[in-house]
Every structure is written in C-alpha cells, then in structure tokens.
C-alpha cells in the first residue's frame, strides 16, 4: 500500500470498498442482471449468487443461511427488529429496554414506538459507556418484550458484555436484539456465543457497498414484516434483491473475517499509538470511552477550551477527515446523546473528535495526524476566550 492521498479517519462513518469486493460485484452490475425471482438461466445465476452470499454472511456470524435476511442496511435492520417485534408482541407486553447510547436508527425508532403506546426504558451507562447486566436485569418487567443493546458503540468504541446480557434475556424468555454494525468484520461476532435473537449488519462499515445490510433472525423468532409486497427473502422482506450489493456484502464479510486476526492487532497498535501521541503532546485532552474492550480502530478525544468543529475545519484544509461525534449529529450544535450519557460536561463535549481507522490506515497516516494536531490545537487554544478565562482564573 502506497501513500494515501488523503488522511481518512472516518471509517466508522463509512469505509472504502475492498478491491476484491468490487471485482465480485461487477458481473452482477453488467452481464448477470437477471431478477433472482425469474425462472430462466439469467435469473438462476442471480439467485445462486444471492444464496451463496447468504451462506457467506451466515458463516461469518455462526448462523444458518435461513436465519439471514438481506435489507437495505443497518437502519432498515434496526427499524425492522424493533418495530417487527413490537407489532407482533403488543398483546403480550409493551415494554422495551434499550440504552442511552444507541445509534439514531435504534434511538429514533424507540421514540417512534413510544408514540405508538410502547414504554421504553433507556438504561444508563457508566463513564466509559458500559451497560451493567445487573441494571438490565433489574429493569426487566413481566411485560418486557424486547431488549435492544448495541454490540459496539459507533462514537466511543465501547464493546458491551452482550454474552452476559444474552444469558439473562435467554433465561427470562425475552428477545435480545443487538446492533452489530460497528462490530461485524472488526471483532468476532458469534450469535451463539452472544445468545442474541436478532442482529443487525451493514456492509459499508466493513469495506462492502452502501445500501445493503442484513438482519439475523434466530430460527423460531417471530416478528412482523415492515416491507410488504412480493415473496422475496422467504416472504419476510419484500422487494427485488440488490443482487450486486448482496454479492458484495458476502465477499466483504468473508474477507473481513479472514483479515481480522491480523487487522485487529495492527489497528489496536495504531489506535494506542494515536491515543498516546495525543495525550503526550496536547494539553487538556480527555480520552472518551474505555482503554480495554474498545473497538480496534476507534479513538475519541475531548479537547478542552476548543470547538470540535473548528478542529475539523482546520483538518479538512489539510486533507484530513475525521468526525465530531456521529455523522448524523454533526451540523447540529447539540452535543451527542452518547457523550451526554457518559457524563461528559457540555463544554468539553463540544470539543470532541472521533478518529476512526480501518484497513487502509497506515502508520504514516497516524504520524501525519500526530504532526498536524498539536500545532493546530495550540493555535486554537491561543484564540480561545474560554482558555483566556481559565488562565486568568489561575
Ligand atoms: C452506520 C450505523 C448504522 C446505520 O447503518 P446504515 O447501513 O448506514 O443504515 C446503524 N448502527 C450503527 C451502530 C452504525 O454505526
């Protein structure tokens, strides 16, 4: 891998296609354009490709192919898991448990369900973003129908103890959904070990194409469809399949799982180098999220007295791309709900940046970032009225 033309530190927002994924997809964007529902040769080729990809996705998470349904991405899978179970189970109970740090695809779906007459408990997290299984257990009620807790957080990288939580929900006979979008392809995901009933995947977070994802639905789990129409996906999810995307997703998850042992080691070293480099060279910095049980590619820092947006714009002029909190919340002035749930003070939260690394991030990218950041933050500190006030108060 040569020099990267840009310094891309936003892999949690999306990733670049793996070259082999593009290659695998190409035939289905060109000659093999048949509709998998057809009965002639072209169609059978497409159908076979979809089923091969389903086996690849299933194998990557230790599921059976019949338990994998392709969707348009993580957002649809999250919506489906929550709304599908809620609608199906509403006569048994109307209580759902989730956390205060979920992705908007879960958070906003829960808020919608509250308007539909469901009651949602938002579990607190500790200062590193961990949910306590004991707190979850106490929140369970006789009318609880679903627990939805993400496997790894997209902003601060915290990896939740889902296996422990799964043991609790399993023993209580309550469905457990996990949003594994940030985890899949980056850390091991095994639906049996985790004891989950529903699990969300999105291909573009592991070097696959955008607009394709999957929902794992454990055999026997009952949920209503949200898309009605044709009999595609065993009548669980209507709509003509995005064949090239499905093929790309199968290839991407297979490659990501194969590369994972090496990649996660490499990225963990880069992550810890970046964390140490920032802590050693920049004053008034606070690492958000844990140092252990953290996604290999995730670094998230609050810089006191400066605005995250200002740092971001500055970095942008140098061809360096990162993110303040989550992509969906940038552009708004409110600090992210995740940082608030971690108990980070408002002012500090506004000075927060996420650097997320991936398979194309090199050590020289990290060195380049570490050369850019300190002088930039020193300049912003000099311009900061908040820092002036602080110095005056000493
Ligand atoms: C990106 C992301 C999603 C949304 O997935 P899309 O495929 O972009 O709709 C959901 N949850 C998490 C944790 C994510 O990081």
């Amino acid at each position: 891998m040569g020099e990267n033309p840009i310094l891309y530190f936003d892999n949690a927002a999306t990733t670049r296609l793996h070259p082999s994924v593009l290659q695998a997809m190409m035939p289905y964007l060109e000659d093999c354009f048949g509709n998998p529902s057809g009965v002639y040769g072209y169609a059978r080729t497409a159908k076979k490709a979809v089923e091969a990809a389903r086996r690849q996705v299933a194998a990557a998470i230790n599921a059976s192919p019949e338990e994998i349904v392709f969707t348009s991405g993580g957002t649809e899978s999250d919506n489906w898991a929550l709304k599908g179970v809620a609608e199906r189970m509403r006569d048994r109970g109307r209580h759902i448990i989730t956390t205060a740090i979920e992705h908007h695809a879960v958070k906003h779906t829960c808020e919608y369900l509250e308007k539909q007459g469901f009651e949602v408990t938002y579990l607190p997290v500790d200062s590193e973003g961990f949910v306590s299984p004991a707190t979850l257990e106490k929140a369970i009620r006789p009318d609880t129908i679903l627990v939805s807790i993400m496997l790894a957080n997209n902003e601060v990288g915290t990896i939740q103890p889902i296996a422990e939580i799964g043991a609790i929900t399993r023993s209580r006979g309550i469905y457990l959904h996990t949003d594994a979008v940030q985890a899949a392809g980056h850390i091991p995901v095994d639906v049996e070990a985790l004891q989950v009933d529903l699990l969300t995947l999105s291909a573009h977070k592991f070097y696959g194409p955008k607009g394709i994802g999957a929902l794992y639905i454990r055999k026997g789990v009952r949920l209503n469809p949200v898309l009605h129409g044709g009999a595609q996906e065993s009548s669980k999810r209507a709509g003509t399949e995005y064949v090239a995307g499905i093929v790309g997703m199968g290839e991407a998850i297979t490659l990501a799982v194969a590369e994972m042992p090496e990649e996660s080691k490499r990225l963990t070293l880069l992550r810890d180098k970046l964390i140490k480099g920032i802590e050693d060279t920049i004053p008034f910095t606070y690492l958000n999220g844990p140092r252990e049980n953290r996604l290999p590619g995730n670094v998230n820092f609050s810089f006191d007295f400066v605005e995250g947006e200002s740092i971001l714009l500055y970095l942008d002029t140098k061809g360096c791309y990162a993110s303040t909190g989550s992509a969906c919340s940038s552009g708004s002035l409110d600090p992210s709900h995740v940082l608030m749930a971690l108990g980070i003070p408002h002012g500090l939260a506004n000075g927060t940046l996420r650097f997320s690394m991936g398979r194309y991030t090199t050590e020289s990218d990290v060195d380049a970032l570490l050369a850019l950041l300190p002088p930039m933050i020193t300049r912003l500190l000099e311009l900061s009225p908040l820092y002036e006030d602080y110095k005056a108060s000493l």
Side-chain angles (χ1 to χ4, degrees):
M1 227 176 295
E3 289 276 292
N4 284 322
I6 57 167
L7 296 171
Y8 185 72
F9 284 94
D10 208 11
N11 285 275
T14 196
T15 59
R16 181 189 182 123
L17 273 190
H18 192 301
S20 311
V21 169
L22 178 61
Q23 236 177 22
M25 290 173 72
M26 281 312 283
Y28 300 93
L29 293 165
E30 294 182 319
D31 298 337
C32 306
F33 63 87
N35 187 320
S37 298
V39 289
Y40 35 83
Y42 262 163
R44 278 201 306 277
T45 310
K47 177 82 182 158
K48 273 189 195 150
V50 168
E51 294 318 312
R54 199 185 310 282
R55 288 193 294 276
Q56 287 177 301
V57 173
I61 61 168
N62 193 24
S64 307
E66 313 81 62
E67 296 174 312
I68 303 297
V69 184
F70 290 109
T71 66
S72 65
T75 300
E76 182 187 328
S77 295
D78 283 345
N79 269 264
W80 185 14
L82 290 154
K83 292 175 188 167
V85 168
E87 230 185 69
R88 182 64 161 253
M89 310 278 280
R90 67 183 309 148
D91 293 333
R92 244 200 59 190
R94 305 217 173 157
H95 181 233
I96 295 166
I97 301 173
T98 185
T99 77
I101 60 161
E102 297 298 311
H103 187 272
H104 283 143
V106 166
K107 182 180 194 278
H108 291 163
T109 303
C110 284
E111 288 162 8
Y112 164 80
L113 287 170
E114 285 182 282
K115 292 198 190 103
Q116 305 300 310
F118 290 86
E119 215 183 309
V120 181
T121 299
Y122 297 88
L123 297 174
V125 294
D126 68 15
S127 60
E128 295 184 334
F130 291 107
V131 175
S132 137
T135 307
L136 160 71
E137 188 151 31
K138 279 192 221 109
I140 294 174
R141 311 191 318 208
D143 61 340
T144 306
I145 51 171
L146 177 67
V147 173
S148 178
I149 298 180
M150 71 200 316
L151 183 45
N153 184 263
N154 46 300
E155 291 190 40
V156 295
T158 312
I159 300 168
Q160 302 295 344
I162 295 297
E164 253 182 273
I165 289 163
I168 295 169
T169 50
R170 181 67 49 88
S171 75
R172 299 294 197 92
I174 299 165
Y175 288 159
L176 174 61
H177 165 249
T178 193
D179 176 335
V181 171
Q182 290 288 330
H186 303 282
I187 59 170
V189 174
D190 177 326
V191 293
E192 291 307 322
L194 295 173
Q195 304 202 55
V196 294
D197 303 294
L198 297 147
L199 181 140
T200 292
L201 297 170
S202 173
H204 76 99
K205 304 292 174 75
F206 50 76
Y207 319 106
K210 296 167 189 46
I212 186 73
L215 183 64
Y216 157 78
I217 307 172
R218 181 179 292 279
K219 194 166 180 284
V221 166
R222 292 144 68 84
L223 78 171
N224 283 1
V226 295
L227 290 187
H228 304 271
Q232 291 90 354
E233 296 294 278
S234 309
S235 296
K236 292 185 185 124
R237 195 268 186 187
T240 300
E241 299 86 343
Y242 172 23
V243 178
I246 289 171
V247 168
M249 181 171 186
E251 188 68 14
I253 201 160
T254 304
L255 289 163
V257 168
E259 291 178 357
M260 192 187 299
E262 287 278 308
E263 254 315 272
S264 70
K265 245 188 283 169
R266 191 184 72 87
L267 283 174
T268 301
L269 288 174
L270 288 187
R271 177 193 75 191
D272 294 342
K273 176 176 181 163
L274 181 54
I275 290 175
K276 186 169 187 317
I278 290 175
E279 287 179 331
D280 286 353
T281 57
I282 307 176
F284 312 113
T285 56
Y286 302 88
L287 177 72
N288 297 315
R291 288 177 201 267
E292 305 284 327
N293 292 317
R294 178 184 198 111
L295 283 175
N298 175 286
V299 173
N300 185 304
F301 268 100
S302 292
F303 301 93
D304 210 353
F305 310 119
V306 298
E307 288 287 330
E309 291 289 323
S310 313
I311 311 171
L312 211 60
L313 292 175
Y314 235 153
L315 288 174
D316 191 351
T317 65
K318 305 286 181 189
C320 178
Y321 309 120
S323 159
T324 56
S326 65
C328 327
S329 66
S330 47
S332 99
L333 283 175
D334 286 335
S336 91
H337 64 283
V338 175
L339 299 175
M340 293 293 96
L342 264 60
I344 294 161
H346 217 279
L348 202 50
N350 279 329
T352 299
L353 281 194
R354 176 185 71 188
F355 302 101
S356 46
M357 302 177 283
R359 75 184 295 276
Y360 306 102
T361 313
T362 63
E363 184 159 17
S364 72
D365 290 348
V366 172
D367 291 338
L369 177 60
L370 283 172
L372 276 175
L373 265 182
M376 225 172 244
I377 303 226
T378 305
R379 245 195 91 192
L380 288 169
L381 273 177
E382 282 162 4
L383 297 169
S384 163
L386 295 168
Y387 186 52
E388 276 299 308
D389 293 349
Y390 166 78
K391 280 193 298 186
S393 76
L394 288 179

